[in-house]
Amino acid sequence: MPKRIASPHSRRSARRGSALTALALTTALTGAAVTAAPAASALSWKCNTSSRSIDQANYDGPWADQWDVKVKTCAARSGSTVYAKASVSWDGPAGGVDADIFDGAYLRLVIKKQQSGSDPVKKAKNGHGIQAKLEDSDSNGNYNNSYGTGTISYRMGSAKGYADSTLYLDWNDDGDGYHRHNFAASPAR
């Protein structure tokens, strides 16, 4: 009797059936199905925006030296996971081109657990890429730009959580180290 060769279609069906059987067995044993995390764009974000005018600490001359900074901090919840992201935009002083304005700069994005007493940080991300953007002026010497952190997440369970942002600026040659600038937090819904 001639040997029958399985078609590619029937081999795929057999593999698919085995995979479904394995998934059903795993689900039965653990009591839970495996689900993928939602895409950040599909989340329902709650955002707070706050602004500050920040004095350039390493300059005391006659020209304007204020940096008008706006931070939008956002949080979202999907099941037991809290997500956070932030974006920063600024309008810096005009009229100069100086690549060494800062010795360091970063935006710290955190997810905190809300509880009585102080709220502990559960996840943090420092965005050091902001320094290059802060020091990048256009051809007219205007320091206007923006920066985004990307998304971080933390499995919070049923506890309440929120996102918080702090901008740290270490002005070049001022001798004071990092200056901390807090912005509005945003609760996860």
Side-chain angles (χ1 to χ4, degrees):
M1 182 166 175
K3 187 173 181 181
R4 185 169 180 207
I5 300 174
S7 73
H9 176 72
S10 63
R11 284 185 287 212
R12 259 185 267 135
S13 294
R15 282 193 304 260
R16 194 175 310 130
S18 297
L20 290 174
T21 302
L23 178 60
L25 181 59
T26 302
T27 302
L29 292 174
T30 63
V34 178
T35 58
S41 60
L43 294 169
S44 179
W45 293 97
K46 167 68 176 151
C47 301
N48 278 330
T49 302
S50 56
S51 301
R52 293 188 64 149
S53 185
I54 300 171
D55 182 62
Q56 187 167 332
N58 62 349
Y59 176 77
D60 61 0
W63 305 107
D65 66 344
Q66 293 300 110
W67 291 69
D68 297 322
V69 180
K70 185 185 296 185
V71 175
K72 181 178 178 183
T73 304
C74 302
R77 178 184 281 276
S78 177
S80 63
T81 304
V82 172
Y83 297 84
K85 65 181 179 178
S87 60
V88 185
S89 61
W90 57 88
D91 181 359
V97 179
D98 185 357
D100 295 321
I101 299 170
F102 300 97
D103 286 334
Y106 63 95
L107 180 71
R108 182 170 174 82
L109 173 65
V110 298
I111 295 175
K112 291 184 176 180
K113 179 181 176 183
Q114 188 175 346
Q115 63 184 37
S116 64
S118 63
D119 296 339
V121 172
K122 293 300 184 178
K123 181 83 176 244
K125 178 182 182 179
N126 292 337
H128 289 281
I130 193 171
Q131 181 177 346
K133 289 194 163 210
L134 281 163
E135 293 179 333
D136 185 26
S137 66
D138 65 17
S139 60
N140 295 320
N142 293 317
Y143 292 92
N144 303 333
N145 212 331
S146 62
Y147 174 81
T149 63
T151 303
I152 62 173
S153 63
Y154 181 77
R155 188 175 289 278
M156 190 73 70
S158 61
K160 292 183 179 181
Y162 63 95
D164 205 356
S165 298
T166 306
L167 180 61
Y168 290 86
L169 301 175
D170 183 359
W171 299 95
N172 184 42
D173 293 334
D174 76 333
D176 287 340
Y178 281 99
H179 296 244
R180 176 185 176 138
H181 306 281
N182 296 317
F183 290 88
S186 184
R189 298 276 183 220

